[in-house]
Amino acid sequence: ALACAPAMAQVGNDAAPLEFRDAAEERRFHALAAELRCVMCQNQSLADSNALIALSLRREVLDLMREGRSDAQIKQHLVQRYGEFVL
């Protein structure tokens, strides 16, 4: 059981699921999360990853959306932080 502990520490537990204001916000969020790549998993989208960093980035994407940033601005922000790989 202890051998699995490090791997389990890497998986996010979505204790507080994201709540969307409306269907349009939810659609936009899911489209962005499907386009962006998890910086830890490398072969999974942000939407598909269970890594803690993916959980954090999903929340950040929603926050940036609510700040009024466009999809292009959100992508550029993430590229500046993590590199082109996130695309």
Side-chain angles (χ1 to χ4, degrees):
L2 292 177
C4 295
M8 291 173 57
Q10 299 294 324
V11 176
N13 186 355
D14 216 353
L18 297 174
E19 293 186 20
F20 302 100
R21 294 178 179 160
D22 55 37
E25 181 181 71
E26 185 174 5
R27 280 191 303 275
R28 180 178 172 214
F29 170 82
H30 287 299
L32 271 170
E35 286 183 51
L36 297 166
R37 197 182 305 176
C38 176
V39 297
M40 183 178 143
C41 298
Q42 299 182 2
N43 63 344
Q44 287 185 309
S45 72
L46 203 53
D48 294 333
S49 175
N50 288 324
L52 288 175
I53 186 71
L55 172 63
S56 176
L57 287 174
R58 287 192 296 266
R59 292 186 185 284
E60 184 173 358
V61 166
L62 185 57
D63 289 343
L64 292 169
M65 286 173 50
R66 289 181 175 168
E67 286 177 10
R69 296 198 193 190
S70 69
D71 291 0
Q73 289 171 323
I74 291 170
K75 290 175 186 176
Q76 184 59 36
H77 173 81
L78 295 176
V79 166
Q80 287 174 344
R81 287 185 71 186
Y82 300 103
E84 292 285 329
F85 178 79
V86 299
L87 300 177

